[in-house]
Amino acid sequence: MEEFRGNSVSSGVALGNIAVFAKEESEPEKKSVEDTDKELKRLNDALNLAKKELENLYNDAIDKVGEENALIFDIHKMMLEDLDYIENIEGLIKDEGVNAEYAVFATGELFSKTFADMDDEYMKARSVDVIDVSKRVIRKLTGKAEVSLESSEPVIILAEDLTPGETINLDKSKVLAFVTKKGSSNSHTAILARSMNIPALVNVDFNLEDLSKFNGKFAIADAAAGKFYVEPVDEIIENARKLEAELDSARAELNTLKGLENVTKDGRKINIFANIGSEKDVDAVIENDAGGIGLFRSEFLYLGRDQAPGEAEQFESYKEAIVRMAGKKVIIRTLDIGADKKVDYLGLVEEENPALGYRAIRICLNNEGLFKTQLRALYRASAFGNAGIMFPMITSVDEVRRIKEIAGKVREELILEGKEVGSPELGIMIETPASALISDELAKEVDFFSIGTNDLTQYTLAVDRQNEKLGGFYKPHHKAILSLIKMTCDNAHKNGIWVGICGELAGDLELTETFVDMGIDELSVSPSKVLSLRKAVRNI
């Protein structure tokens, strides 16, 4: 038996034979070319083909892992449109007279190293993405197909690393687990593995030269313990099978909770809703028996495109979600763009500290045309069911009053036009210490609060939540955070409005009883966490 250790990025256990995912991609040969115009045309054609392929991957990924996670491929597409990246490739072709394949390879290596040398762990993980998009362009130039897995039975995939494209193209029914030599918890492949509910280990300490000898051997990937066993002894196999049975039993038990109330043993009830990225995610909401949608992230309609979506497109998207939820509440957050979510067509400039900069409601209030288009779509869609509109990044009462003034005028205009409109609840997100501290005043202006604990934590503790070096300082259970949540909840109820939580803490089972005791009315989590949260509530 051989035992290896790694980092778990997606929990679970898998037993089966190993299939080595070996890539035989070598460095393109550097050639001199005389007709650089012809080479530039080859490059342009290959870039267009790669972009089209990424669009197809994006649409495929929406069905497999949802809109939010499919955004990975939109990000890759944007990388292929990055002017610095393109100009560097073109410069090598024109100035050095090299072939397009080599120019793309050299540029990919240069940009990848730039990311890899950064201190921020999240940015380090982007180095793999640059290599992935560069290899995609090279394949279009050479006509080679992407490496794929060929297996007639489910297997444990063993590889040096896996790109997002390779991961999403795998037949999920044939994959028991991912085990890779490289990778990080921030890698897009890790994110996809979690979304696909496939056990995954990265940074596993096997030698690359041993890859071929492992092919076909029986193994166990224990992502719960962070261990990988090749040809394990009987005792290890027996323990793994017990764990596998326990996990299967736990999943089956959760399914028995469908249709039951979210009520504690002493009769206290709480709503458990789901967070989604688009109307296409409603299937998962219904499948997991969520009581409603607590956060529809409308910004995903705005990303990965050349211009903002129009009123008609937004209306159809919001309407579909509202209609399909059949009377259950659907809360749609207005555009929350900026910070880590950028769109070129809005002309957002680079900021030294984007988390504290021009984002979310600040953009909407400075661009009323953009804001009104979304509000028109939202008011029209709200006529088809039980809807709420939620505004992010609030810091003052004046902001809320201005929002209500704009929203009121939009609704009046639609009525004058003879359009059918609803009367959606209007709420705000409490995600800044300022909004929590004045929540008593804010509660008099709106119908509900939804606490965004991710931003509330980073702003309260002055810790960048995307900087892994600060992981030890990012403490969502910090007394200050819980005090702000309790204050917000008390002020909401004092003023007769309801309050929910839609950030990561909503699904933190260690805090479920705390939130119930506080009187939180609603918890909104990813669809896959709904039943686990229901179980936790019913056991209080």
Side-chain angles (χ1 to χ4, degrees):
M1 179 182 84
E2 293 185 79
E3 178 181 333
F4 305 93
R5 292 182 179 273
N7 299 327
S8 173
V9 294
S10 182
S11 63
V13 63
L15 300 86
N17 292 329
I18 294 171
V20 173
F21 196 84
K23 294 175 256 191
E24 300 178 358
E25 296 174 337
S26 57
E27 177 180 330
E29 182 183 355
K30 183 178 182 180
K31 298 178 182 179
S32 296
V33 296
E34 294 182 4
D35 190 345
T36 56
D37 287 340
K38 179 180 178 181
E39 211 63 17
L40 289 170
K41 184 180 185 306
R42 287 185 65 231
L43 170 66
N44 187 61
D45 291 343
L47 288 169
N48 288 332
L49 287 171
K51 290 175 192 175
K52 183 63 178 176
E53 188 172 70
L54 286 168
E55 288 174 5
N56 293 335
L57 278 172
Y58 171 76
N59 291 327
D60 187 32
I62 286 175
D63 294 331
K64 292 182 178 179
V65 297
E67 179 91 10
E68 184 172 0
N69 294 304
L71 190 64
I72 290 167
F73 299 105
D74 255 346
I75 293 171
H76 279 201
K77 183 169 173 280
M78 284 187 276
M79 284 184 178
L80 287 180
E81 295 168 344
D82 182 80
L83 286 179
D84 290 336
Y85 178 79
I86 299 299
E87 288 174 358
N88 198 86
I89 298 171
E90 292 176 341
L92 288 173
I93 294 173
K94 289 186 287 188
D95 300 338
E96 298 186 20
V98 299
N99 55 320
E101 291 90 338
Y102 182 80
V104 173
F105 168 78
T107 299
E109 291 291 310
L110 174 65
F111 278 61
S112 177
K113 186 177 186 306
T114 300
F115 280 114
D117 289 343
M118 291 182 179
D119 292 331
D120 186 273
E121 292 300 319
Y122 178 84
M123 299 309 293
K124 279 180 182 288
R126 303 291 71 78
S127 65
V128 178
D129 296 318
V130 176
I131 294 297
D132 190 16
V133 297
S134 297
K135 286 182 176 179
R136 189 174 301 282
V137 177
I138 292 170
R139 285 196 297 272
K140 296 308 167 190
L141 286 163
T142 61
K144 291 182 179 179
E146 188 166 18
V147 178
S148 61
L149 174 71
E150 295 183 6
S151 176
S152 58
E153 61 180 23
V155 291
I156 294 174
I157 303 242
L158 187 65
E160 178 181 1
D161 204 356
L162 287 167
T163 68
E166 290 164 345
T167 307
I168 205 68
N169 277 330
L170 292 168
D171 181 350
K172 183 180 175 182
S173 67
K174 299 290 178 63
V175 180
L176 298 172
F178 296 127
V179 179
T180 64
K181 173 71 174 176
K182 299 179 180 179
S184 75
S185 60
N186 277 318
S187 72
H188 286 322
T189 300
I191 294 168
L192 289 173
R194 289 192 288 270
S195 301
M196 297 163 75
N197 294 317
I198 294 173
L201 289 166
V202 301
N203 287 328
V204 181
D205 57 355
F206 60 81
N207 294 319
L208 284 177
E209 53 266 29
D210 292 335
L211 263 179
S212 59
K213 80 173 188 180
F214 290 145
N215 199 46
K217 290 186 177 180
F218 183 75
I220 295 173
D222 185 349
K227 293 183 179 180
F228 177 57
Y229 304 94
V230 179
E231 296 186 320
V233 297
D234 290 345
E235 182 183 358
I236 298 293
I237 294 173
E238 183 180 350
N239 290 337
R241 292 205 186 282
K242 285 181 180 177
L243 177 58
E244 186 179 43
E246 289 171 5
L247 292 173
D248 288 343
S249 176
R251 282 190 286 269
E253 180 188 353
L254 288 179
N255 282 329
T256 66
L257 297 177
K258 290 181 180 179
L260 300 183
E261 286 189 307
N262 313 306
V263 57
T264 64
K265 292 177 180 178
D266 60 358
R268 291 174 291 168
K269 293 182 180 180
I270 190 168
N271 288 318
I272 298 179
F273 288 3
N275 301 333
I276 66 172
S278 84
E279 75 282 2
K280 296 180 178 65
D281 296 334
V282 173
D283 284 337
V285 177
I286 295 171
E287 171 63 24
N288 288 280
D289 196 35
I293 293 172
L295 171 61
F296 183 132
R297 301 181 180 92
S298 70
E299 58 268 19
F300 291 106
L301 286 169
Y302 292 77
L303 298 172
R305 55 196 300 154
D306 298 327
Q307 60 183 6
E311 178 184 334
E313 180 183 349
Q314 292 190 62
F315 165 69
E316 291 298 335
S317 177
Y318 306 146
K319 175 186 171 184
E320 181 177 340
I322 292 168
V323 169
R324 293 196 60 206
M325 288 305 293
K328 293 181 178 179
K329 191 179 296 293
V330 177
I331 297 173
I332 302 168
R333 180 175 68 189
T334 58
L335 181 61
D336 188 6
I337 214 76
D340 57 329
K341 297 188 285 282
K342 298 181 176 67
V343 291
D344 291 338
Y345 57 80
L346 288 182
L348 304 180
V349 299
E350 291 291 329
E351 296 179 303
E352 188 171 341
N353 195 339
L356 299 180
Y358 191 51
R359 59 173 296 197
I361 200 63
R362 298 167 182 178
I363 293 175
C364 290
L365 290 177
N366 274 358
N367 190 337
E368 284 195 24
L370 182 78
F371 193 29
K372 286 180 176 179
T373 296
Q374 181 171 34
L375 288 172
R376 285 177 62 89
L378 287 166
Y379 271 113
R380 289 175 57 201
S382 69
F384 293 85
N386 184 2
I389 304 174
M390 180 163 69
F391 306 97
M393 273 297 289
I394 299 300
T395 60
S396 73
V397 173
D398 287 342
E399 287 171 345
V400 176
R401 288 174 178 165
R402 187 174 167 203
I403 289 166
K404 288 168 63 179
E405 180 183 359
I406 295 170
K409 288 180 179 178
V410 166
R411 189 171 185 274
E412 289 173 7
E413 289 170 2
L414 288 168
I415 292 171
L416 289 173
E417 292 171 18
K419 297 283 197 310
E420 188 176 2
V421 298
S423 299
E425 288 186 313
L426 299 183
I428 60 171
M429 291 194 70
I430 302 294
E431 50 191 335
T432 65
S435 60
L437 290 169
I438 63 168
S439 53
D440 186 22
E441 297 176 58
L442 292 170
K444 296 175 174 60
E445 302 290 334
V446 295
D447 299 311
F448 68 90
F449 288 153
S450 186
I451 303 172
T453 55
N454 301 350
D455 273 333
L456 183 62
T457 301
Q458 81 165 344
Y459 292 139
T460 303
L461 302 182
V463 174
D464 182 352
R465 60 190 173 96
Q466 292 187 359
N467 188 338
E468 286 204 350
K469 284 188 175 181
L470 300 177
F473 300 95
Y474 186 83
K475 300 179 184 295
H477 291 206
H478 194 290
K479 184 178 179 180
I481 309 300
L482 297 179
S483 295
L484 289 174
I485 293 173
K486 178 68 164 61
M487 176 191 299
T488 300
C489 185
D490 289 346
N491 284 332
H493 291 158
K494 184 171 71 174
N495 288 281
I497 69 170
W498 64 269
V499 58
I501 299 175
C502 63
E504 286 295 317
L505 281 191
D508 188 332
L509 301 185
E510 292 182 22
L511 290 175
T512 303
E513 186 169 0
T514 299
F515 291 147
V516 170
D517 289 343
M518 282 183 185
I520 294 292
D521 301 292
E522 174 247 33
L523 296 170
S524 192
V525 296
S526 64
S528 63
K529 292 183 178 179
V530 167
L531 294 176
S532 296
L533 187 53
R534 177 171 298 163
K535 179 183 177 182
V537 169
R538 292 176 64 85
N539 283 334
I540 294 173

